Amino acid sequence: MSSHREAPGILKDPTADNTDVYAFVTPNNTVTIITNYVPSEAPAGGPNFYEFDDTVTYQINIDNNGNGRPDVTYEFRFETTNTNPNTFLYNTGPIDRLDSPNWNHRQSYTVTRISDGRRRTLARRVPCPPCNIGPRSTPNYSDLADAAIANLDGGGRVFCGQRADCFFADLGSVFDLATLRPFQSLHLIPTANANGVDSLAQANVHTIAIEVPIDHLTRRGRVPTDPMDSKATIGVWGAAYRQKARVRGYDYGSRNVGPWNQVSRLGNPLFNEVIVPLAQKDRWNSVGPDRDSEFAGFVAQPELARLLPVLYPGVFPNLAALTADRADLLAILLTGIPQGLIPGFQNFTGPTQADELRLNVAIPPSSRPNRLGLLGGDLAGFPNGRRVTDDVVTIELRAVAGATYPLVDPNFTPDDAVSVIEDGTFNNPGRVLLDRFPYIGLPYSGYDVPAAS
Amino acid sequence: MDPVTRRSFLIKGSAGAVGAAGLAAGGFALSSIGDTEPALSASELEELDGPVVVQITDPAAGEVAVLFGEREVTFTDKPLVARVLRTAR
């Protein structure tokens, strides 16, 4: 998965598990940043439905000077309340508005912007929408979700609540010795080719989304218009923090104490999942991007690039012969792509190696987005930021397989298979994305998923 | 962490005081440890809010970390650490 349950420690702590990060330029000189949490929510998971955690601090971090440390942070703290002490139910009747007296268990949150050591509250006690339960409990769910979009003081909008997971991948196949169903007849252990299966097709997540003016994110509050401007790229990552100690035995279960320690983070999709060795994943989650030079060796010599020629005998001979450090992947994932490699494009942030989702904000949104992003010639797509429609599994799979190595070595020829391999999943037609904030589709309802037979 | 001496930590009022309180609440018999410190005042006791966790981070060096609120302070007190650990044996 992109970063769902990607490390031994965080898989036991789903409310703090950052599953995906998206960042893309949106109309009116804004950037939308989305971080998702709580992986693989089963829509019918009641009576205690999924939610954010009051004891977690969630952050969206922006590095605008290339040192791997946050220059601007949007911090989210949640508060959960029960309005009816006499019921076991989430709701005692239809929830037709965000202040419905029928809604027992509800959450709200406060947004704080931190920059230059100063904290400014941008929104206070904003209500989250309820989870999508079903037609009797949450009728007109779209209206409830829309009502939960709030304005931020100083400009911008925010939404926090349940949404449909828009990450797609054939997890069942990929985790079975890197099987790609459409090409599994070529696998070391072959079976007949088949269509991909989207393992997250009907799963929900909890989304934190902001749409903020570009000049709130960039260095010195500029709005760059030249893509070659060295200050046009920002680095984005999500992170979650827990206090150092938890003491059990209080009336309501436990109390937390001490400074906040990072327990989860994510910039580029699949970084911790596929690049970092299992034994170091928890450590990676606990340090900041400014420490990522420690993990650069795993980018330079990615394990997956060595596995593909073994698992698909004879399919990747050129990749098998490629033993040099992967300067292409080091640039894409850790420093950004410098000028001179792709005409009209760069998202280089300097020599500091840091896993950040780098977005050149001077590149406007594409009128015809290509799901393969930069690999498809679309400069507004991953790895220039990440849109909700980008097929990051295919992009990264092909990049690791050698598609991007000619950027740094024009004499290298990718294997023929590189331009066609994929896991066979696409954005599910039933997963409706929005063309407006917060872009991710409405969550699946527990009544409807799984469907009646 | 904010490195401080044990004395500077203790004279910060409630924070220092709750360190000893936390130890007592943890079940140790430490009546002798606070012999040289004045007892908590009523106002100091009223300021206590939430747990205080005291962790011996380096027994050999006598290093102690105290977690309270959203902070962590450290101090070094080898005799205190020795007495705590002997009590816990």
Side-chain angles (χ1 to χ4, degrees), chain A residues 263-286:
Chain A
V263 296
S264 174
R265 70 159 159 133
L266 179 61
N268 285 295
L270 300 163
F271 190 97
N272 201 23
E273 178 107 12
V274 173
I275 298 289
V276 179
L278 182 61
Q280 298 194 43
K281 290 179 186 293
D282 288 343
R283 171 166 165 69
W284 186 88
N285 264 333
S286 73

Side-chain angles (χ1 to χ4, degrees), chain A residues 106-118:
Chain A
R106 59 185 73 195
Q107 289 197 300
S108 63
Y109 61 95
T110 294
V111 187
T112 304
R113 184 177 189 272
I114 306 165
S115 181
D116 296 324
R118 292 190 296 272

Side-chain angles (χ1 to χ4, degrees), chain A residues 243-245 247 250 255 257-260, chain B residues 49-51 53 67-72:
Chain A
Q243 286 183 276
K244 191 166 185 176
V247 181
Y250 284 76
R255 296 282 295 271
V257 63
W260 294 89
Chain B
D49 181 24
V53 173
L67 309 179
F68 59 100
E70 296 186 355
R71 295 190 62 199
E72 176 177 6

Side-chain angles (χ1 to χ4, degrees), chain A residues 139-358:
Chain A
N140 302 316
Y141 191 84
S142 177
D143 292 345
L144 286 171
D146 284 348
I149 298 172
N151 292 325
L152 294 173
D153 188 22
R157 295 189 288 179
V158 62
F159 171 87
C160 294
Q162 192 181 45
R163 288 275 159 175
D165 194 347
C166 61
F167 178 68
F168 52 95
D170 189 340
L171 305 173
S173 180
V174 168
F175 292 142
D176 186 17
L177 290 178
T179 300
L180 304 168
R181 289 187 213 252
F183 306 94
Q184 60 190 4
S185 65
L186 303 175
H187 195 278
L188 185 64
I189 306 170
T191 53
N193 290 340
N195 294 326
V197 176
D198 182 357
S199 309
L200 296 168
Q202 294 186 311
N204 292 328
V205 288
H206 265 62
T207 290
I208 295 173
I210 55 172
E211 178 190 70
V212 292
I214 286 175
D215 59 9
H216 288 199
L217 305 175
T218 52
R219 202 181 329 174
R220 299 193 183 94
R222 299 168 68 247
V223 182
T225 55
D226 177 6
M228 295 301 138
D229 185 335
S230 64
K231 299 180 182 64
T233 299
I234 59 172
V236 178
W237 73 98
Y241 305 79
R242 284 193 178 280
Q243 286 183 276
K244 191 166 185 176
R246 169 173 288 191
V247 181
R248 300 187 189 280
Y250 284 76
D251 286 349
Y252 293 96
S254 63
R255 296 282 295 271
N256 299 288
V257 63
W260 294 89
N261 286 3
Q262 183 181 293
V263 296
S264 174
R265 70 159 159 133
L266 179 61
N268 285 295
L270 300 163
F271 190 97
N272 201 23
E273 178 107 12
V274 173
I275 298 289
V276 179
L278 182 61
Q280 298 194 43
K281 290 179 186 293
D282 288 343
R283 171 166 165 69
W284 186 88
N285 264 333
S286 73
V287 300
D290 59 327
R291 303 284 291 274
D292 279 338
S293 60
E294 297 176 33
F295 305 93
F298 306 120
V299 179
Q301 294 287 336
E303 183 181 10
L304 182 59
R306 296 196 302 272
L307 286 173
L308 285 172
V310 174
L311 293 173
Y312 293 87
V315 177
F316 298 100
N318 296 346
L319 178 63
L322 176 56
T323 57
D325 280 354
R326 296 294 303 272
D328 56 328
L329 301 179
L330 288 166
I332 291 170
L333 297 174
L334 291 179
T335 63
I337 300 171
Q339 287 191 37
L341 299 183
I342 299 173
F345 178 78
Q346 62 87 26
N347 64 354
F348 185 64
T349 53
T352 299
Q353 295 179 313
D355 172 46
E356 299 174 351
L357 188 58
R358 288 175 174 80

